[in-house]
Amino acid sequence: MPTCTRFAALSLCAALAAGPLTAQSFEGTVAYNVMSENGKTVEMAMSMKGTKIRTDANAEGHAMTMLIDGQTQVMKMLMPEQKMYMTMELKGMREHMQSKKRTPPKITALGTKETIAGRSCENYLVEGEDTRMEFCNSKGLGNFLNPRSPMGRGPSSGLTELENEVFLTYFKDGFFPLRLTDLKDGKRRVVMEATRVESKSFDASYFEVPAGFSEMKMPGGMGPRPQ
C-alpha cells in the first residue's frame, strides 16, 4: 500500500469538516503542487462535478485517488497499483471531530490580490488556536471539498461546527484557496499552490470505483463501513 501522503491527510480533514455537500457551481479540475513535510512536492488534482469530487495524487511514484460522494457522505480511497479500495462513512467521523471544542478562527482580509493559475484571488490571514496561515481565495469555484477550511494537519484536527459556520458566513461567495502559506516561527512556507484551473465536463463514471477493483477491509480505528 502506498504511503499516505500529506495530500491524503489534507483531503480527509477537509472531507470530515464538510457538511452535506451541495452541488458545486464549477465543473472541472484544479491542480496543485502540495509541499510535503520533507520538502518534496506532491502533485494533486481535484475534479468536481455536482456533489461529487475526485482527488488524485502521485507521490514518490505511488498513485492515490479519493472519491467523495457529497450526498451519501461516503469516501472511497483507491489504490490503483493494487486495484483495491477502502470505504469510509464520513458522517460519524465528522460528528466525533465536531464534538471537540475549539475557539473559532480569526479571519483578516489583507487587502491584496494576485493571479494564480490564471485566476484572480484575494489574500487572507487565518489565525486559529494552533495555526497561523495565509491563503489566496478565489471566488466562483465553489468550496474546497466543500469544507470551510483546509487548515487541518491530520485526521485529529478537524473543524468544529462553530468553525465551519465562521467560514460559511465570511466566504458567502465560495472558499477555494489557490495558495496556502504556513506562518510558523517567523517563517513562511508555501504548503500548496494551484498550477492549473480547467473547466471541463466529466462522465459520471469518472467519480466511481473502476471495474476490477476489490474492496479492502478498513484498518481498525478508521471508522465503520456504511451499511
Side-chain angles (χ1 to χ4, degrees):
M1 177 178 175
T3 301
C4 185
T5 63
R6 179 180 174 82
F7 122 86
L10 181 67
S11 298
L12 176 59
C13 230
L16 291 175
L21 184 64
T22 56
Q24 300 277 32
S25 57
F26 172 77
E27 182 174 351
T29 299
V30 181
Y32 289 92
N33 280 338
V34 181
M35 290 60 174
S36 63
E37 296 293 345
N38 61 10
K40 295 184 179 180
T41 299
V42 177
E43 295 178 346
M44 179 180 84
M46 290 177 53
S47 299
M48 295 155 278
K49 180 183 179 71
T51 61
K52 294 188 176 182
I53 297 175
R54 171 176 173 144
T55 305
D56 293 280
N58 191 303
E60 300 178 356
H62 297 295
M64 187 179 295
T65 297
M66 286 188 177
L67 304 175
I68 295 176
D69 187 322
Q71 289 187 325
T72 63
Q73 287 289 282
V74 169
M75 181 174 73
K76 296 183 179 181
M77 181 183 292
L78 278 56
M79 293 153 281
E81 295 172 21
Q82 290 79 19
K83 287 196 172 182
M84 301 188 77
Y85 71 94
M86 293 187 295
T87 302
M88 284 183 248
E89 196 279 313
L90 299 176
K91 183 178 179 180
M93 298 171 70
R94 188 180 69 250
E95 289 174 348
H96 171 71
M97 294 168 67
Q98 290 175 345
S99 67
K100 300 180 180 180
K101 294 183 179 180
R102 293 169 62 91
T103 302
K106 177 184 177 183
I107 306 172
T108 305
L110 298 180
T112 55
K113 295 183 179 181
E114 296 186 51
T115 299
I116 298 176
R119 291 189 68 96
S120 175
C121 58
E122 300 178 20
N123 288 308
Y124 294 84
L125 172 66
V126 177
E127 298 171 284
E129 288 185 2
D130 53 5
T131 306
R132 192 168 185 267
M133 310 192 88
E134 284 183 13
F135 60 82
C136 201
N137 184 54
S138 181
K139 300 176 182 178
L141 294 175
N143 288 313
F144 185 88
L145 282 178
N146 204 52
R148 318 319 171 197
S149 167
M151 290 166 54
R153 296 185 176 279
S156 63
S157 58
L159 300 177
T160 66
E161 195 66 33
L162 177 60
E163 289 174 301
N164 285 344
E165 186 176 334
V166 171
F167 275 82
L168 267 180
T169 301
Y170 198 101
F171 297 102
K172 294 180 180 179
D173 295 328
F175 176 73
F176 212 104
L178 297 183
R179 184 175 62 218
L180 187 63
T181 304
D182 189 18
L183 306 177
K184 186 176 180 180
D185 301 327
K187 298 180 181 179
R188 301 174 60 90
R189 185 175 72 88
V190 175
V191 175
M192 57 186 289
E193 185 166 353
T195 58
R196 172 171 54 91
V197 178
E198 179 183 7
S199 297
K200 61 185 298 186
S201 296
F202 294 103
D203 187 85
S205 62
Y206 190 63
F207 300 88
E208 303 295 335
V209 176
F213 276 58
S214 301
E215 186 168 10
M216 176 186 292
K217 185 177 180 181
M218 288 288 295
M222 291 187 69
R225 289 187 62 243
Q227 300 299 317

